[in-house]
Amino acid sequence: MFKRIFLIIIMAAGLNWYTAIPVFSVNYAADEQINISVYEAINPAIVSIEAQLDDGVSAGTGCIVSTDGLILTGSHVVDGGESIEVKTSGGQLYKAKIVSKMGKNNDLALLKIEPKQPLKTIKFGDSEKIKVGQKVLAIGNPFGFAGTLTQGIISRIDYSKNKIQTDAAINPGCSGGPLLNTSGEVIGINQSIYNPDNNISNIGIGFAIPINDAKKFIQVAKLTKK
């Protein structure tokens, strides 16, 4: 009987020692922490877009640029859209209207929704300061998988066509989404991928419109609206 009681005491003491072990938080590598921090800060300002067309649905991504619901995206995402629906990262659905559009070469559009409360917005970077080789991140809605983060580098800057080339994975549904630097600033708006063999998926050659072009477009659109 004494042995049994002694054994129970030992087991209880061991259990107390085990439960007293502190639980430590996960230690992420510096590069991982950058990805996590940028994503958590910017994803709330990114939306998914669906435009109803005569022959189907055009899906894309958008960046919230004002707290009252102004959204930057690609014009080809909403061209011909009879009805445009925007979904926030939190799952709220809104009907959107087109405020302004640019032509195919610049491929930018502004949408407006009417949120019930102020929205999170992106941070603008300076595309004049970008360098080939610098790390970039992209957030988008590829194939309907909203809030997808990918990473890569700036592979090339095409000055003649005014495009940023990147190997960060950009797929159908990512058009209009942000190309970000590691400070979480948007330096480009993702536009297209290169697929010479008619493969609709990413092969590591994507293009973005420099954000400085988008900033000028937004400014002109706001002045015109006034």
Side-chain angles (χ1 to χ4, degrees):
M1 182 67 178
F2 175 76
K3 289 183 179 180
R4 185 178 299 173
I5 293 173
F6 181 74
L7 180 60
I8 291 172
I9 293 173
I10 292 296
M11 290 175 65
L15 180 62
N16 289 336
W17 175 83
Y18 177 78
T19 56
I21 296 175
V23 178
F24 295 100
S25 59
V26 177
N27 291 319
Y28 298 103
D31 194 54
E32 290 177 318
Q33 191 58 62
I34 288 172
N35 295 352
I36 293 167
S37 298
V38 169
Y39 182 80
E40 291 180 348
I42 302 302
N43 189 54
I46 307 304
V47 300
S48 301
I49 299 170
E50 286 193 355
Q52 298 293 328
L53 310 179
D54 288 336
D55 57 350
V57 177
S58 173
T61 304
C63 305
I64 302 172
V65 298
S66 70
T67 58
D68 64 348
L70 195 64
I71 295 168
L72 178 66
T73 188
S75 63
H76 76 270
V77 173
V78 295
D79 277 342
E82 299 175 356
S83 174
I84 302 170
E85 190 172 72
V86 166
K87 181 185 283 188
T88 68
S89 64
Q92 291 80 27
L93 288 172
Y94 296 96
K95 292 293 184 181
K97 63 179 182 179
I98 298 173
V99 174
S100 184
K101 281 197 308 181
M102 296 183 79
K104 289 185 178 180
N105 290 334
N106 292 303
D107 196 13
L108 294 171
L110 282 174
L111 309 179
K112 183 68 172 66
I113 61 174
E114 300 298 332
K116 296 178 180 179
Q117 57 188 9
L119 301 174
K120 295 280 188 180
T121 61
I122 59 168
K123 296 190 295 180
F124 289 107
D126 184 354
S127 50
E128 290 292 326
K129 296 180 179 179
I130 62 174
K131 299 287 186 182
V132 172
Q134 81 175 79
K135 179 180 175 179
V136 288
L137 303 169
I139 301 176
N141 179 38
F143 303 105
F145 298 109
T148 295
L149 175 72
T150 57
Q151 67 173 331
I153 61 169
I154 293 177
S155 308
R156 176 173 168 263
I157 302 171
D158 191 331
Y159 293 101
S160 63
K161 295 182 179 179
N162 200 30
K163 295 290 186 291
I164 302 168
Q165 183 179 322
T166 180
D167 67 349
I170 300 170
N171 286 290
C174 290
S175 294
L179 189 68
L180 301 143
N181 62 22
T182 53
S183 296
E185 298 170 331
V186 180
I187 57 171
I189 298 299
N190 296 322
Q191 181 188 34
S192 61
I193 57 176
Y194 180 66
N195 45 8
D197 56 358
N198 295 318
N199 185 348
I200 64 169
S201 59
N202 178 273
I203 61 169
I205 303 177
F207 298 96
I209 301 166
I211 198 62
N212 288 7
D213 287 11
K215 287 190 283 187
K216 292 174 186 175
F217 166 57
I218 294 169
Q219 187 62 33
V220 170
K222 285 182 176 180
L223 290 173
T224 304
K225 188 178 179 182
K226 292 180 179 179

